[in-house]
Amino acid sequence: MIAATIEPSYEPSILLAREAATWADSVEKVLSTAGYRLSVVASVDEAEAAIARHCPDVVITAASNRSLIFYDALRGNPALNQRPLLVLITADTHIAPEKFGAADIILPPEPTYIERQLQMFLQLRLDNQRINQQAASSQAEIKELRVTIEKQNRTVNEVQLLRDAIIQNVSHELRTPLLQVKSAVALIADDVEDKRLIVYAENAMARLEALVKNITMLGQSLEINISPIILRDAVEYARRNLGRVWQRKGEAERIKLFIASDLPPIMADKQGLSTVLQQLIDNALKFSEKNGKDVEVIGKREGDKAYIAVRDYGIGIPEDKLKNIFDLFYQVDSSSTR
């Protein structure tokens, strides 16, 4: 059964115009027993009227000028949702194919051969329709994905702009009142005999000052600028910035550099790298004893890569907490007594 070969639920329909052809009876018999839905009309004129009623997948006629005119009309008919496969039957094997240009297939009047060729062409047509449907579906999905990606990109850009604006505005707005309070505490210190509260206030001011500086540094490091840099320059830049922080004054001598002399220039963002190093060195100084071992900054070359590390000999991080240190805003000790 042709239906089983092409598609289990698909029964192709054929419109056959007999035109008193000698092969018509045998072709009708073969196609009827092959599982097609067959409609038979006496002539091409009747076939033209039957097209709208039967909406066939295949039209078969004998080769004639009237058939070619009929096929030309079918090809140009915009009312057809899907044009049928146009088949001409002729015993003349020497006729040039271009003479029957309106037809899709030209076949000899051999019923079994006709049935096999129809089976193959209908299968190809069905496969082509399926491919076109999949392609159309894929195009629609691609279009939808593009729209989604564009929306996400716009959202990301808006969030980045908002984030940058918040960081810049917060650091700017905090700096002025912080300076005023710092000056006020310094003036009060001259008139107060009990210096304990003054020291407490100064320490709090120093922490606020460091926080504002960190926010500023974060804002500056958001714009990545990759260029050739000297690794030692980035380290020295971080160390100089730390030396300007109130809590770290006088601690620069605790920072020891072990930067390999054979390090070539590297491709990196100097501002961002210096910010990271400054935070790491600051933590190393904060959580290690002043009278203990030094904080070491180590830079070395391995193959085509440069490695840099900050090492201290302080309290360290418990092994079970190491997996969490890159979580956003994670603190090993988050207690209120910290």
Side-chain angles (χ1 to χ4, degrees):
M1 297 285 286
I2 184 75
T5 303
I6 294 179
E7 194 81 20
S9 61
Y10 177 53
E11 294 181 357
S13 61
I14 295 178
L15 178 64
L16 172 63
R18 296 175 59 89
E19 291 288 348
T22 57
W23 46 262
D25 288 338
S26 56
V27 168
E28 180 180 349
K29 181 179 179 180
V30 168
L31 295 180
S32 296
T33 58
Y36 295 99
R37 291 183 289 115
L38 185 64
S39 302
V40 182
V41 294
S43 65
V44 171
D45 292 333
E46 291 184 24
E48 190 170 2
I51 286 288
R53 294 196 308 272
H54 298 287
C55 299
D57 297 295
V58 182
V59 176
I60 301 176
T61 69
S64 67
N65 288 334
R66 182 70 188 90
S67 295
L68 294 177
I69 293 171
F70 173 47
Y71 282 179
D72 273 329
L74 286 180
R75 283 181 176 274
N77 188 347
L80 293 176
N81 292 329
Q82 179 176 310
R83 183 177 62 78
L85 192 66
L86 306 178
V87 182
L88 282 179
I89 307 298
T90 178
D92 190 351
T93 57
H94 300 291
I95 295 178
E98 57 267 19
K99 184 176 180 180
F100 300 121
D104 295 311
I105 313 172
I106 303 171
L107 297 174
E110 298 176 10
T112 303
Y113 181 75
I114 290 173
E115 192 278 325
R116 289 176 180 172
Q117 291 299 308
L118 288 179
Q119 177 179 333
M120 181 184 69
F121 277 101
L122 285 170
Q123 182 65 58
L124 289 173
R125 196 177 207 195
L126 191 64
D127 291 342
N128 187 56
Q129 290 173 358
R130 188 182 296 111
I131 291 171
N132 288 337
Q133 290 171 353
Q134 291 173 347
S137 177
S138 297
Q139 289 295 330
E141 290 177 2
I142 291 172
K143 185 176 180 180
E144 186 176 345
L145 285 173
R146 285 177 176 168
V147 171
T148 302
I149 291 172
E150 288 176 1
K151 288 181 179 178
Q152 290 177 344
N153 287 338
R154 285 197 298 269
T155 301
V156 169
N157 291 335
E158 291 170 359
V159 169
Q160 288 177 340
L161 290 173
L162 179 61
R163 180 193 61 187
D164 295 349
I166 290 174
I167 290 173
Q168 293 172 2
N169 288 334
V170 166
S171 61
H172 175 74
E173 294 299 328
L174 284 177
R175 192 176 290 113
T176 300
L178 180 60
L179 180 60
Q180 293 171 345
V181 174
K182 187 177 180 181
S183 300
V185 169
L187 292 173
I188 293 172
D190 295 336
D191 300 328
V192 176
E193 294 182 2
D194 188 349
K195 302 295 184 181
R196 287 178 298 176
L197 290 178
I198 298 299
V199 171
Y200 182 80
E202 287 177 341
N203 289 339
M205 293 303 304
R207 288 195 296 272
L208 279 174
E209 194 173 20
L211 177 61
V212 172
K213 186 173 182 63
N214 286 341
I215 294 174
T216 304
M217 289 169 57
L218 175 61
Q220 293 171 345
S221 65
L222 289 176
E223 297 182 4
I224 298 177
N225 181 24
I226 304 296
S227 61
I229 67 168
I230 303 298
L231 186 58
R232 181 178 287 272
D233 290 348
V235 177
E236 291 290 358
Y237 183 80
R239 186 160 67 166
R240 286 196 304 272
N241 281 341
L242 274 173
R244 300 188 186 103
V245 178
W246 182 84
Q247 303 103 309
R248 301 291 165 239
K249 289 185 181 297
E251 293 195 65
E253 68 277 2
R254 293 179 58 197
I255 306 171
K256 304 300 181 184
L257 305 186
F258 298 92
I259 310 297
S261 59
D262 63 340
L263 276 178
I266 62 172
M267 296 298 295
D269 174 30
K270 182 178 179 180
Q271 179 67 50
L273 182 59
S274 298
T275 300
V276 172
L277 288 172
Q278 182 172 334
Q279 295 299 316
L280 290 174
I281 296 171
D282 181 60
N283 272 347
L285 293 171
K286 183 188 303 181
F287 294 105
S288 58
E289 297 293 336
K290 292 185 178 181
N291 57 358
K293 291 188 175 181
D294 299 321
V295 170
E296 300 172 357
V297 181
I298 304 162
K300 61 181 179 178
R301 178 177 184 171
E302 291 186 10
D304 60 347
K305 293 181 173 59
Y307 290 85
I308 188 163
V310 176
R311 179 165 63 189
D312 68 75
Y313 299 89
I315 61 176
I317 299 174
E319 189 172 349
D320 62 334
K321 304 292 186 182
L322 288 175
K323 63 180 182 298
N324 301 320
I325 62 174
F326 290 105
D327 293 346
L328 196 62
F329 301 121
Y330 178 79
Q331 290 184 338
V332 174
D333 181 3
S334 57
S335 65
S336 59
T337 58
R338 176 177 173 274

